[in-house]
């Protein structure tokens, strides 16, 4: 397709193409330039006759001054004929459209960037869901929602817990009832991962799935692209068509933690794991790098507590102050109970006393 074909296909009224059409009208600038150039060409053609006289003519400059001036005037008129005005208008019209074009290009680029970000986020979500079928984020949110504000502070204030938090002790065993409540920590140099063991989910809570769940928690808060080791493992398993092995998960876990200043690992109710899963996890967690901290909660089972004989141990019991806060909250949330307590001034104190005594630290 040549230039004329393209011009003919454009709509009338487009400034640039209207300008180009105006140059090619009959007796217009292009015709006048062609006529002048044809006159020059004809003047320069050699004569067909031979002979000394014609040879002499060929060696003489064929143009006189007046003729040259006339040709130049024709060319100059053709150059200026409507051209400046028409082209000026066309250029002005096109220039006026530049901001709109720039805006449209920016919009297209923005949409392209968003699409790329969305595609990358979808891909990351797909890989992380493949890595571990376990989702402890939901369990954590439910646990936090049921926690009574202000309870458990005695544990957070304890010397053993703060020694563990600061790194004086790398492992802490909390023995007694399971009451762990943790909140996500967002900090580029600190990683937190929590495992909630559940007797009813033993079939799903295999060692590789539990460790993989830790990887997901350590990776997911980051908005950066997934690390190369994880994507390599994913590709190795035919883009998620087969499951990762324990060795694969260990590679991903160690790669995910190596650049963090501190990694806090919390295993709640480790006694509810199967004996084989529990042993594999404990053996692995006990030899973690120096930047790792391990907190384990378990019922007082000798077979398990012996694994942590050389680590500080905190006895977890129902604190009387926590029980009173919980009871007060329950009464305040029940209109009938609140009415009974309001009518009998000593009833509230009696309830507190009886419940705390019956709980006996449970």
């Amino acid at each position: 397709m040549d230039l004329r074909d393209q011009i003919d296909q454009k709509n009338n009224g487009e400034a640039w193409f209207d300008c180009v059409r105006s140059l090619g009208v009959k007796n217009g600038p292009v015709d006048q330039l062609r006529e002048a150039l044809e006159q020059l060409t004809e003047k320069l053609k050699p004569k067909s006759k031979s002979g000394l006289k014609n040879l002499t003519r060929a060696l003489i400059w064929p143009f006189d001054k007046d003729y040259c001036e006339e040709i130049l005037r024709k060319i100059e008129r053709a150059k200026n004929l409507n051209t400046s005005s028409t082209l000026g208008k066309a250029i002005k019209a096109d220039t006026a459209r530049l901001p709109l074009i720039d805006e449209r290009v920016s919009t297209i680029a923005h949409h392209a960037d968003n699409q790329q970000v969305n595609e990358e986020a979808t891909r990351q979500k797909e890989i992380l869901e493949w890595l571990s079928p376990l989702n402890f984020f939901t369990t954590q949110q439910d646990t936090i929602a049921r926690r009574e504000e202000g309870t458990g502070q005695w544990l957070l204030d304890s010397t053993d817990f703060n020694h563990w938090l600061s790194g004086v002790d790398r492992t802490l065993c909390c023995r007694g009832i399971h009451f762990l409540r943790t909140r996500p920590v967002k900090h580029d140099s600190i990683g937190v991962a929590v495992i909630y063991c559940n007797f009813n989910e033993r079939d799903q809570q295999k060692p590789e799935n539990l460790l993989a769940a830790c990887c997901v928690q350590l990776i997911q808060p980051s908005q950066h692209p997934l690390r190369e080791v994880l994507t390599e493992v994913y590709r190795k398993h035919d883009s998620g068509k087969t499951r990762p092995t324990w060795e694969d998960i260990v590679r991903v876990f160690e790669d995910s933690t190596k650049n963090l200043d501190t990694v806090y690992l919390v295993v709640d109710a480790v006694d509810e794991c199967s004996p084989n899963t529990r042993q594999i996890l404990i053996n692995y967690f006990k030899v973690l790098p120096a930047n790792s901290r391990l907190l384990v909660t378990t019922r007082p089972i000798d077979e398990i507590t012996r694994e942590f004989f050389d680590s500080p141990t905190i006895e977890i019991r129902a604190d009387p102050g926590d029980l009173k806060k919980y009871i007060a909250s329950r009464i305040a949330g029940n209109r009938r109970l609140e009415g009974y307590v309001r009518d009998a001034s000593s009833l509230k104190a009696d309830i507190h006393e009886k419940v705390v005594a019956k709980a006996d630290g449970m």
Side-chain angles (χ1 to χ4, degrees):
M1 181 180 291
D2 58 22
L3 179 60
R4 181 173 295 279
D5 292 330
Q6 294 185 42
I7 291 172
D8 291 340
Q9 291 180 10
K10 297 299 178 179
N11 297 325
N12 292 330
E14 294 189 24
W16 188 85
F17 289 95
D18 287 345
C19 170
V20 174
R21 290 193 190 99
S22 71
L23 297 177
V25 298
K26 187 176 181 180
N27 295 324
V30 173
D31 280 353
Q32 294 185 31
L33 283 171
R34 183 174 62 245
E35 181 183 348
L37 292 173
E38 286 175 350
Q39 290 179 10
L40 289 174
T41 303
E42 184 65 27
K43 196 76 172 174
L44 290 171
K45 280 183 179 180
K47 304 299 181 182
S48 59
K49 296 181 180 180
S50 59
L52 181 59
K53 186 177 180 180
N54 288 328
L55 178 61
T56 303
R57 287 180 180 176
L59 296 175
I60 298 174
W61 180 247
F63 305 114
D64 57 34
K65 179 179 179 182
D66 291 339
Y67 185 82
C68 289
E69 289 179 349
E70 177 61 25
I71 293 296
L72 289 174
R73 279 194 296 272
K74 285 185 177 181
I75 293 174
E76 194 62 32
R77 281 198 304 271
K79 286 171 58 180
N80 293 326
L81 184 61
N82 291 324
T83 304
S84 297
S85 174
T86 307
L87 283 176
K89 290 179 180 178
I91 292 171
K92 184 176 180 181
D94 283 346
T95 302
R97 296 173 62 189
L98 287 178
L100 178 60
I101 294 172
D102 182 64
E103 180 182 350
R104 289 178 178 175
V105 170
S106 298
T107 301
I108 293 170
H110 179 69
H111 287 323
D113 288 342
N114 284 344
Q115 183 177 358
Q116 184 176 359
V117 169
N118 290 337
E119 288 176 354
E120 181 62 24
T122 300
R123 176 175 172 273
Q124 290 190 14
K125 184 174 182 291
E126 180 182 300
I127 294 176
L128 291 176
E129 287 178 349
W130 165 81
L131 185 63
S132 175
L134 303 177
N135 183 356
F136 289 128
F137 290 106
T138 302
T139 305
Q140 189 174 55
Q141 290 170 355
D142 179 63
T143 302
I144 291 172
R146 291 187 288 108
R147 174 182 179 267
E148 185 62 40
E149 192 66 32
T151 58
Q153 192 61 42
W154 63 271
L155 173 64
L156 304 181
D157 292 338
S158 67
T159 300
D160 286 335
F161 181 83
N162 281 280
H163 280 178
W164 172 79
L165 198 64
S166 63
V168 174
D169 297 307
R170 292 182 54 205
T171 303
L172 177 64
C173 178
C174 294
R175 187 173 59 188
I177 60 173
H178 307 142
F179 84 125
L180 185 63
R181 305 290 186 270
T182 60
R183 292 185 180 273
V185 176
K186 293 185 178 180
H187 196 288
D188 289 342
S189 64
I190 296 176
V192 178
V194 184
I195 294 174
Y196 293 92
C197 301
N198 188 323
F199 181 85
N200 296 322
E201 299 178 7
R202 280 187 172 188
D203 292 340
Q204 191 81 339
Q205 293 189 348
K206 303 295 185 183
E208 58 271 20
N209 289 342
L210 291 171
L211 186 61
C214 291
C215 295
V216 172
Q217 294 175 68
L218 293 170
I219 294 170
Q220 190 147 315
S222 173
Q223 299 301 313
H224 302 296
L226 296 180
R227 298 181 68 89
E228 181 59 30
V229 169
L230 175 53
T231 55
E232 179 187 324
V233 169
Y234 183 69
R235 288 193 298 266
K236 169 187 167 184
H237 287 274
D238 198 10
S239 295
K241 292 181 180 178
T242 59
R243 295 297 307 148
T245 64
W246 169 257
E247 290 73 19
D248 291 328
I249 301 301
V250 167
R251 280 189 63 206
V252 174
F253 179 82
E254 293 178 354
D255 182 67
S256 303
T257 59
K258 67 181 181 181
N259 293 326
L260 295 172
D261 291 341
T262 309
V263 180
Y264 293 99
L265 300 172
V266 182
V267 183
D268 186 41
V270 70
D271 54 288
E272 296 197 21
C273 288
S274 69
N276 180 62
T277 295
R278 179 170 61 243
Q279 198 60 55
I280 291 174
L281 284 178
I282 289 175
N283 290 343
Y284 178 69
F285 285 154
K286 288 175 71 173
V287 295
L288 287 174
N291 68 334
S292 301
R293 311 279 182 269
L294 174 64
L295 188 152
V296 174
T297 72
T298 178
R299 286 176 294 183
I301 299 174
D302 290 342
E303 178 186 353
I304 298 175
T305 56
R306 278 199 300 267
E307 296 282 352
F308 304 98
F309 73 93
D310 56 347
S311 301
T313 299
I314 297 179
E315 295 291 336
I316 303 297
R317 295 175 59 83
D319 179 73
D322 288 348
L323 286 173
K324 289 180 180 179
K325 289 177 182 177
Y326 177 76
I327 294 168
S329 175
R330 296 288 291 185
I331 291 175
N334 187 304
R335 289 187 177 182
R336 291 183 63 187
L337 287 176
E338 190 175 26
Y340 293 146
V341 170
R342 185 171 54 250
D343 294 338
S345 58
S346 62
L347 181 57
K348 186 175 182 178
D350 290 341
I351 292 174
H352 284 166
E353 181 181 348
K354 297 295 183 181
V355 171
V356 170
K358 290 291 184 180
D360 191 27
M362 294 298 293

